[in-house]
Amino acid sequence: MQENKDRVAIVTGAAKNIGRATSQCLSKLGFNILVHANSDKDGAMETLHMVKENGVNAGILIGDLTNKETSKLLVSEGQKLGIISVLINNASQREFNKFDDMTFDQWRFVMSINLDSLFHTCKAVIPEMKKNNWGRIVNLGGLSAHISAIGRAHVITSKSAVVGFSRALAMEYAETGITVNTVVPGLIDTVRGASAGRSLVHPSHSNPPIGRKGYPVEVATMISNLCSPNSDFITGQTIHVNGGSYFP
């Protein structure tokens, strides 16, 4: 879309799954894309090639978002592609550790990725968005933060805090043209690491009421809708994409 020409969307954790699908959806809207991954360079490159097929400029950045220097690099690399306008905080960690066995290091590890990294990325990009009186920030929440789960005290706490963080920023920057929202995926058909607990299911049911898992593109479509120039009046919201698993 011509209206998004020269606008850049930064998507964290974009080497696969929802991050990759979101990068593709935003590129179809005309955003140039900076693809971030923590370590999966091959996956990031694959996403990069998919995005470029939609006729936009794109780049990649590999780095640890718990290090604030990586967030500074997101800005400098993003500026090479155009005007930083969108930040999708998708990167997260979903460890499975029962609380009896959980160490403080495991607690802090999840908190640093799921919550502290948002502090760093938002601190880095918001000044750029304010310069242009326009910006979209979408933070990814988690269904377990709303319905709970066993072995996820760190994940649930961090994802609950993401909702509060989004609301706080939405209020603080309401008059700057920047909107901030949380999108909460339900049970989505994604590839997860072993640490997330491959057989883990939410306590309510193994499949949503509609009878299947969601697809990454279904979450990505909601995210991209919130990044539209027509979404100015939507901010501070927590929007669930879950096939009926939870009704807020």
Side-chain angles (χ1 to χ4, degrees):
M1 296 174 65
Q2 189 66 27
E3 58 195 342
N4 291 324
K5 187 177 184 296
D6 297 327
R7 285 179 171 172
V8 177
I10 298 170
V11 185
T12 70
K16 59 184 178 182
N17 298 333
I18 292 172
R20 172 177 288 177
T22 299
S23 298
Q24 290 179 283
C25 284
L26 290 173
S27 68
K28 290 176 182 177
L29 292 179
F31 288 101
N32 297 328
I33 307 295
L34 180 61
V35 176
H36 163 267
N38 179 61
S39 58
D40 186 0
K41 185 174 181 179
D42 289 342
M45 288 298 297
E46 189 173 347
T47 301
L48 179 75
H49 293 316
M50 292 176 177
V51 163
K52 284 187 172 183
E53 289 177 356
N54 292 321
V56 300
N57 294 324
I60 66 170
L61 176 66
I62 307 298
D64 179 3
L65 291 177
T66 64
N67 182 342
K68 67 179 180 180
E69 296 304 317
T70 301
S71 293
K72 293 178 181 178
L73 289 173
L74 286 177
V75 171
S76 60
E77 292 300 309
Q79 288 173 329
K80 294 176 183 179
L81 301 171
I83 301 166
I84 295 174
S85 304
V86 170
L87 170 64
I88 311 300
N89 277 313
N90 170 68
S92 63
Q93 186 71 24
R94 292 177 176 84
E95 296 266 322
F96 177 79
N97 306 107
K98 288 190 176 182
F99 193 69
D100 281 351
D101 305 318
M102 187 183 299
T103 66
F104 185 69
D105 286 343
Q106 290 171 327
W107 170 272
R108 280 303 317 156
F109 175 65
V110 171
M111 288 292 177
S112 66
I113 297 174
N114 291 1
L115 190 58
D116 295 349
S117 67
L118 273 63
F119 178 89
H120 294 314
T121 57
C122 289
K123 281 288 263 188
V125 305
I126 284 175
E128 300 304 311
M129 294 176 175
K130 287 173 68 177
K131 290 177 185 177
N132 298 289
N133 301 308
W134 198 90
R136 298 286 185 265
I137 298 173
V138 180
N139 299 317
L140 273 289
L143 181 60
S144 61
H146 301 269
I147 66 174
S148 199
I150 294 171
R152 295 290 183 96
H154 38 18
V155 176
I156 290 168
T157 302
S158 62
K159 289 299 186 179
S160 296
V162 167
V163 173
F165 180 70
S166 298
R167 290 174 177 169
L169 294 192
M171 182 64 74
E172 192 159 339
Y173 295 102
E175 297 181 355
T176 67
I178 300 171
T179 65
V180 188
N181 293 286
T182 304
V183 169
V184 183
L187 191 61
I188 307 299
D189 190 9
T190 58
V191 177
R192 293 190 178 186
S195 63
R198 293 184 183 275
S199 61
L200 182 70
V201 297
H202 290 294
S204 54
H205 37 63
S206 58
N207 269 325
I210 67 169
R212 64 169 176 84
K213 296 179 181 179
Y215 304 121
V217 69
E218 292 175 307
V219 181
T221 299
M222 175 57 70
I223 294 170
S224 62
N225 286 343
L226 291 171
C227 298
S228 164
N230 297 321
S231 64
D232 288 341
F233 207 57
I234 306 172
T235 194
Q237 302 305 302
T238 303
I239 300 171
H240 290 261
V241 184
N242 61 36
S245 294
Y246 171 74
F247 299 97

